[in-house]
């Protein structure tokens, strides 16, 4: 059974930091890309960041470049998203997703993945 379990969400003040984690199981992690998406109320789902477990390449949405850092621990089948300098526009439900069909750029822009987690809420207060 495939599982993607997100953790680390919560309430933080603007300017603060959070670290999200995505624990993966049930598929070939080393041959996949793992991405983070987010969806705020009333808005479309947005691709935030992605990392390829194959070669370590990463992609970021322009809105988070320089503030968010994605990393992968292949030994633990876990991907982390370090989020710094958070602002109210970062408030959303954050989803972890995984796939092996497309590379990171297509996953983020097509918003297409084979597997999805249940999401974790991130709320940034002003």
């Amino acid at each position: 059974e495939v599982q993607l379990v997100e953790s680390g969400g919560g309430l933080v003040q603007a300017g603060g930091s959070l670290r999200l984690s995505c624990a993966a199981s049930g598929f070939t992690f080393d041959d996949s890309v793992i991405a983070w998406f987010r969806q705020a109320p009333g808005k479309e789902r947005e691709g935030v960041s992605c990392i390829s477990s194959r070669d370590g390449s990463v992609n970021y949405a322009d809105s988070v470049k320089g503030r968010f850092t994605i990393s992968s621990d292949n030994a633990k089948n876990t991907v982390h998203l370090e989020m710094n300098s958070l602002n109210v526009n970062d408030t959303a439900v954050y989803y972890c997703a995984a796939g092996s069909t497309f590379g990171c750029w297509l996953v983020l822009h097509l918003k297409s993945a084979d597997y999805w987690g249940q999401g974790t809420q991130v709320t940034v207060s002003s």
Side-chain angles (χ1 to χ4, degrees), residues 15-98:
S17 300
L18 281 175
R19 188 189 196 213
L20 303 184
S21 297
C22 173
S25 61
F27 63 96
T28 307
F29 186 87
D30 292 349
D31 193 34
S32 299
V33 299
I34 312 295
W36 287 96
F37 292 82
R38 66 186 181 185
Q39 189 164 19
K43 294 188 177 181
E44 291 189 358
R45 187 168 292 187
E46 174 191 19
V48 174
S49 183
C50 180
I51 186 167
S52 170
S53 294
R54 303 165 188 143
D55 60 12
S57 58
V58 299
N59 291 74
Y60 296 98
D62 288 342
S63 58
V64 306
K65 278 181 183 175
R67 301 188 298 122
F68 290 12
T69 303
I70 192 170
S71 61
S72 177
D73 184 342
N74 284 24
K76 296 183 179 180
N77 285 9
T78 300
V79 169
H80 303 289
L81 184 68
E82 188 77 34
M83 306 186 296
N84 299 314
S85 302
L86 287 163
N87 60 63
V88 295
N89 294 320
D90 296 315
T91 295
V93 177
Y94 284 70
Y95 298 91
C96 176

